[in-house]
Amino acid sequence: EQFIRIFWYYLIFDFPRYILSDIYVLNFVLKERFRETFSKRQALFDHKLQHEPPLVSVIVSALNEARTIPHTLETILEQSYQNLEIIFVNDGSRDDTAQVMRHYTSPKIKYFELAVRSGKSAALNYGLRHARGEFIVYIDSDMSFERDAIYKLLRPFANPKVGAVSANVSVLNRNQNMLTSLQFIEYLFSITMGRIFSAKMHILSIVSGALGAFRRSLVDLNTTGGHEPGTGNDADLTIRIQKLGYVVAFVYDSICWTKVPDKMLSLWRQRLRWNNTLVKLRLRKHSDVFNIFSNNFRLINLISFCDIIFFQVITALFTPVYILYVVVYYPHDIFFIFLLNYVLYAAGDVLQLVAVCILVKRASYLVYLPYMLLFSLYIKIHKFIRLYAYWQEFMFLASYQDPFAPPKVRERMTRW
């Protein structure tokens, strides 16, 4: 009883979300591997992908990415799935992006140029107007991909209820410094393990802009309207597809690699933007998900939103509450209680890392075990960043001042 009174935060918020869900994911995936059974529908769709592959439009938007674009394009061209048309949209870049892209232009690579920067959403929508594919794949312009990434990304579309598929995102510069290594571990836990769980529960509500696939009919400018301007356009598009009654799949072995911030200030700005978006989309723009009388109401979407709000917003709000609780009620045992909390979290992080290694068959990741001594502190810092971001968004609508969109676009954006 005393243990529950002292460690209620860990038992209510973190243990079920991370440890129990990881056990479920590991059990589910390992059973799936041993069964090795595929539905007839999946077998037929796989045959179609291999022998009558539908055209897939890969849309890339870039702003001042002359140095990264050649590598990104080459990894797309090297994909095992070859029936691709690559649509590259230059969003008013001021570097040598135009010259680099003109060098790569071919019947397979279409190049378009916006004279003035109009924002990532406008560039992606412009590319969509020229796309002919049955499926649309959006990627960021500074990515690398494993050779079978697109093929694996398409397989879940065998299920007609799947409207969008998210790839797994991992960290390319994970060994650059301590900060990038901690982000690599965070991506393993929150994306690789976390999104498998959310997808299996049918509550995954984001397809990362880094690499994601959509049914053309669902992202068409005449249906959902494509991407809307501003931060969080990838999550916004995914939510609108869910509102139509479709589910989002996640393929953990369709992997793309991204570079993460290597300085704390850059990471701070990135996470403020991500968490501003949570408030804008989940609590304001798509608040009709909570209204049982709305035409958009679906129980599974309500559960999805509640899951994110509880484990992102509520856990952050209760972090300072728990610290204050320990200080007030156990003033003489503060050091001992916080030390035990540290041990609990470090042990849980070790279990998570081992689970990920088993799941992705990468024993080499165990080299990051020493970082488990710092990881719980790193996550705690992020919870306070979240609190600041939520306050920013509630009080000042910070997402509408974010330079992610150019000034002329920000002026015209709908305020939610």
Side-chain angles (χ1 to χ4, degrees):
E1 182 185 349
Q2 188 178 25
F3 182 84
I4 293 171
R5 285 205 309 269
I6 295 174
F7 299 105
W8 57 266
Y9 182 94
Y10 177 77
L11 296 172
I12 293 173
F13 294 115
D14 291 329
F15 181 75
R17 179 56 170 169
Y18 299 107
I19 306 302
L20 293 183
S21 66
D22 282 2
I23 292 171
Y24 168 82
V25 166
L26 198 56
N27 179 61
F28 182 91
V29 172
L30 291 179
K31 279 185 177 178
E32 202 172 54
R33 281 181 189 167
F34 281 119
R35 286 197 209 110
E36 292 185 347
T37 55
F38 299 98
S39 67
K40 183 178 180 181
R41 181 172 60 192
Q42 184 67 62
L44 289 172
F45 192 75
D46 287 350
H47 184 273
K48 177 183 177 182
L49 291 178
Q50 293 164 15
H51 300 284
E52 302 174 47
L55 181 64
V56 173
S57 299
V58 179
I59 303 178
V60 190
S61 161
L63 173 66
N64 301 327
E65 296 284 0
R67 289 187 299 116
T68 62
I69 277 300
H71 180 68
T72 300
L73 285 174
E74 284 163 15
T75 59
I76 299 172
L77 291 171
E78 290 169 0
Q79 288 293 300
S80 60
Y81 191 91
Q82 282 292 300
N83 195 17
L84 304 173
E85 65 166 4
I86 302 167
I87 300 174
F88 186 94
V89 184
N90 180 0
D91 185 23
S93 296
R94 295 183 177 180
D95 65 354
D96 295 330
T97 298
Q99 290 87 331
V100 171
M101 276 310 305
R102 290 188 186 112
H103 173 73
Y104 279 93
T105 301
S106 68
K108 196 169 186 174
I109 302 177
K110 299 177 182 177
Y111 173 66
F112 299 96
E113 190 173 313
L114 303 182
V116 180
R117 183 189 169 207
S118 302
K120 183 178 181 180
S121 297
L124 293 176
N125 289 339
Y126 190 87
L128 183 61
R129 290 190 186 96
H130 297 274
R132 299 178 294 112
E134 182 179 340
F135 298 101
I136 304 295
V137 171
Y138 292 114
I139 69 169
D140 284 341
S141 55
D142 56 351
M143 308 299 298
S144 300
F145 312 95
E146 293 203 347
R147 191 169 182 274
D148 292 326
I150 290 179
Y151 174 76
K152 291 176 179 177
L153 201 63
L154 295 173
R155 293 188 68 244
F157 287 117
N159 182 351
K161 293 181 180 178
V162 171
V165 184
S166 176
N168 196 358
V169 184
S170 194
V171 176
L172 184 63
N173 58 333
R174 60 181 180 268
N175 295 322
Q176 184 173 346
N177 58 35
M178 183 181 293
L179 187 60
T180 61
S181 294
L182 289 169
Q183 288 175 81
F184 170 64
I185 298 164
E186 180 190 9
Y187 277 46
L188 287 178
F189 292 176
S190 64
I191 297 181
T192 302
M193 296 297 279
R195 292 188 182 178
I196 292 176
F197 178 78
S198 296
K200 296 304 179 187
M201 297 291 103
H202 300 302
I203 58 174
L204 180 61
S205 58
I206 181 168
V207 173
S208 173
L211 176 60
F214 300 82
R215 292 187 187 275
R216 169 60 187 266
S217 58
L218 299 182
V219 296
D220 194 271
L221 298 175
N222 297 318
T223 53
T224 55
H227 286 85
E228 294 192 1
T231 57
N233 54 12
D234 46 4
D236 177 61
L237 181 62
T238 309
I239 292 168
R240 283 184 279 138
I241 288 172
Q242 284 184 308
K243 283 184 172 182
L244 296 174
Y246 290 87
V247 297
V248 178
F250 175 74
V251 185
Y252 73 89
D253 57 352
S254 172
I255 301 173
C256 62
W257 303 87
T258 186
K259 286 189 175 182
V260 295
D262 59 359
K263 293 181 175 61
M264 193 61 207
L265 182 59
S266 301
L267 180 62
W268 166 273
R269 289 170 178 161
Q270 180 197 66
R271 298 310 169 91
L272 286 181
R273 183 169 67 248
W274 289 2
N275 289 293
N276 290 155
T277 297
L278 186 149
V279 174
K280 180 179 79 170
L281 296 182
R282 315 280 174 177
L283 299 179
R284 289 206 299 262
K285 181 174 181 180
H286 295 289
S287 59
D288 56 345
V289 164
F290 300 99
N291 181 3
I292 61 173
F293 302 106
S294 168
N295 291 332
N296 290 320
F297 180 80
R298 287 182 175 82
L299 181 60
I300 197 67
N301 291 344
L302 174 63
I303 294 171
S304 172
F305 270 45
C306 288
D307 171 75
I308 288 177
I309 291 167
F310 183 80
F311 288 106
Q312 296 286 329
V313 181
I314 304 301
T315 56
L317 288 172
F318 271 87
T319 298
V321 171
Y322 177 71
I323 294 172
L324 185 62
Y325 170 83
V326 172
V327 170
V328 171
Y329 288 97
Y330 302 95
H332 303 298
D333 301 308
I334 290 174
F335 176 77
F336 178 69
I337 290 172
F338 285 145
L339 179 62
L340 276 182
N341 265 288
Y342 173 78
V343 171
L344 276 174
Y345 279 99
D349 293 337
V350 169
L351 288 174
Q352 280 193 282
L353 184 61
V354 170
V356 171
C357 290
I358 295 171
L359 177 72
V360 300
K361 301 179 182 178
R362 297 277 177 93
S364 60
Y365 288 171
L366 290 175
V367 73
Y368 293 96
L369 274 172
Y371 289 95
M372 299 303 99
L373 297 173
L374 296 173
F375 188 71
S376 62
L377 299 176
Y378 166 82
I379 293 299
K380 285 291 184 293
I381 291 170
H382 278 299
K383 289 184 178 179
F384 285 99
I385 294 175
R386 279 187 214 155
L387 286 176
Y388 180 69
Y390 301 152
W391 174 77
Q392 263 195 331
E393 187 64 24
F394 275 120
M395 298 299 294
F396 306 109
L397 301 178
S399 61
Y400 298 100
Q401 282 77 51
D402 195 290
F404 179 83
K408 65 174 185 177
V409 175
R410 294 201 299 269
E411 291 171 5
R412 299 197 302 268
M413 286 194 306
T414 304
R415 266 41 175 185
W416 297 97

